[in-house]
Amino acid sequence: MANIQQVAKQAGVSVATVSRVLNGQNTVSAKTKMRVEEAIKKLNYEPSLLGRNLRTSESRLLLILIPTISNPFYLEIIKGIEQVAISQNYNILLCETDSNPQKENIYFDLVRKKMADGIITMDPAVNVETLKKLAENYAVIQCSEYEECTGIPYVTIDNEEASYRAVKHLIQIGHHKIALMNADEKYLFARLRKMGYKRALEENGITLKNEYIISTSNLGFENGQYAMKKILNLQDRPTAVFAVSDLLAIGALKEINIAGLHVPNDIAVVGFDKIDFSNMTNPTLTTIAQPMRKMGNVAARMLIEKIKGEEVESIILDHELVIRESTSR
Amino acid sequence: MANIQQVAKQAGVSVATVSRVLNGQNTVSAKTKMRVEEAIKKLNYEPSLLGRNLRTSESRLLLILIPTISNPFYLEIIKGIEQVAISQNYNILLCETDSNPQKENIYFDLVRKKMADGIITMDPAVNVETLKKLAENYAVIQCSEYEECTGIPYVTIDNEEASYRAVKHLIQIGHHKIALMNADEKYLFARLRKMGYKRALEENGITLKNEYIISTSNLGFENGQYAMKKILNLQDRPTAVFAVSDLLAIGALKEINIAGLHVPNDIAVVGFDKIDFSNMTNPTLTTIAQPMRKMGNVAARMLIEKIKGEEVESIILDHELVIRESTSR
DNA sequence: TATAAAAATGTAATCGATTTCATTATAAAA
DNA sequence: TTTTATAATGAAATCGATTACATTTTTATA
């Protein structure tokens, strides 16, 4: 495979001139440019990014850290990131961490060792200290899920308000006995969503019942089933469930079905995220739509600015309540 | 940020010695090694992979090309690939092509320009000629979906046999009127699965009805709904449906439900792929399990061998029929 | 036509590592 | 102690590009 030297030789010019043609600089005469282009074609030459990147000290690779690729919630965010990245000549590297510090470290290393220019993380909780230290020397952005105290810029929605609106919707259609299927409170979003839940109840004079709040270690389908079983066994059974992820909600749906009850007539269900599958269930799921594509766009833009050394501010985006069959009669 | 020169200076040795310590060569005396390691720690030094990779002419990056990340079918394969890749000190880059030649070319370019060492493609149909040409000079492996004529090594299952077994299962539980919800026959797997379907019917003396075979442009949920609508409108309605993807099958499930019919009592349904969601539906879905993790493992191993310049042979793996509620009474 | 200014091109340093070959220090053998 | 073999280290080339600066060629101006 040819390199720039051979192209220069073939075209009868210096490597500098070839490089100029390659980078579209206009200081090359039309005649020379043609000769170089012919040589490139003849030798089937492809410039090595390794050489270029070493010289320019960049890789034009962005890392996206997600806990797991099996959660469809990330899909649209990733597309949003990719959209901006590609348009700015960056490529993205999808990295699944399984929330495992060791795996995470493999990807952090890629940044430390200059093979990637920056990181967008959607699971900052794994190892906050390491992340914080990394962010001192490298470009890091938090997306969707974030840690406030790190000083690392983030883009997210107002989780407290979103949760408040979901619960308020349930109250408005007549529910008083509303369960909250929440994530572990080590996550900021879980704490915020609980606050929104509480506020909606308080404002409507409903007393909070602690047994109506169930925590799950994970946001998956099975966790939803498990949590719903618990809820169904309560002696004063709730008539509505607000789950903080669609997968949890879909698990709940299934379990309610198994119990021979009807959604929404016996129990109404609200999810969170508006993943594709939330529209494929029976009944379709009422849920909170995060502006995922936009969130991805913004995160990518922030990261690229950060890479360029600019100051970036955290951003909070709007959300939306999507009402579907699981809460309508 | 420090480089190898500064480390050498700090430790009072040459860069060669630092490099030796970095690469764990045993020709360095214990005393010197310690001095170098102290210098590394003191300067917070991280070796640049750009420098190393340029010198060694490798990137240790593998590209995985998938049509879309929203199809859960790829999840487990990707994990399988990652498992082997990480263990051999490679990193993977997940690339969504949307079956779009332009997007595909961005990723091919990464290989041509030495930023990636090889490609595993799960959607070779996009641009067979380009792929073939790429494979002449670079390491390429086809995984799951493949083109026979390209001469590019592949790993897959026996699609004809898998399809045969799915349909035979339906026949064994008493069905004669079996619809096939197939993909576009431009795909090899679609042609093979149709052959398996035919063989099962023939062997059991069932005449093939052309109106029972529906082609969909895509393997998604909506396509399944749409195709099922067509099937439900047939005057001699089938009592069973074999869909060549779980997403199609889930779409069918939904549509049958809407029509007020029961699965499996009125219509039995079989899917293909055993994606996670196939166990979350109501009823759970009978489906063909591809050994996805293993397929990923094998594909990665094949690619790495190819990168090392070894000859690799195509491989066909076993599959399995998983019987669940959608075909049991 | 001579001279100055602008455009085109080339030379060589550089990015940060690895690695070959030469050299020096150390240990073993005579 | 001297010689020889071996281990440890260093100097410098190399990977393939970009780019500052120097030089040559061309064009414009007087």
Side-chain angles (χ1 to χ4, degrees), chain B residues 66-138:
Chain B
I66 49 179
T68 162
I69 39 177
S70 11
N71 189 337
F73 166 61
Y74 301 107
L75 260 35
E76 193 66 15
I77 297 185
I78 293 167
K79 287 212 177 159
I81 295 173
E82 189 181 37
Q83 205 173 28
V84 171
I86 298 264
S87 82
Q88 306 241 20
N89 236 320
Y90 281 89
N91 284 292
I92 59 171
L93 218 164
L94 220 49
C95 311
E96 189 182 35
T97 64
D98 291 329
S99 296
N100 169 351
Q102 231 169 323
K103 267 186 105 176
E104 193 185 57
N105 207 47
I106 291 178
Y107 298 114
F108 283 178
D109 252 3
L110 241 39
V111 176
R112 296 193 194 103
K113 300 191 171 174
K114 323 278 189 303
M115 267 299 271
D117 291 345
I119 285 190
I120 294 172
T121 173
M122 307 213 213
D123 187 17
V126 178
N127 195 331
V128 182
E129 276 317 305
T130 317
L131 186 70
K132 213 168 146 184
K133 200 166 290 172
L134 188 79
E136 287 170 13
N137 294 305
Y138 304 91

Side-chain angles (χ1 to χ4, degrees), chain A residues 152-184:
Chain A
I152 304 171
Y154 55 83
V155 48
T156 187
I157 58 163
D158 186 337
N159 278 291
E160 196 271 347
E161 176 71 19
S163 173
Y164 168 80
R165 281 216 238 158
V167 178
K168 193 173 160 192
H169 163 64
L170 287 169
I171 295 171
Q172 278 173 339
I173 61 171
H175 294 278
H176 298 94
K177 299 193 273 183
I178 303 171
L180 171 67
M181 199 180 283
N182 204 5
D184 193 307

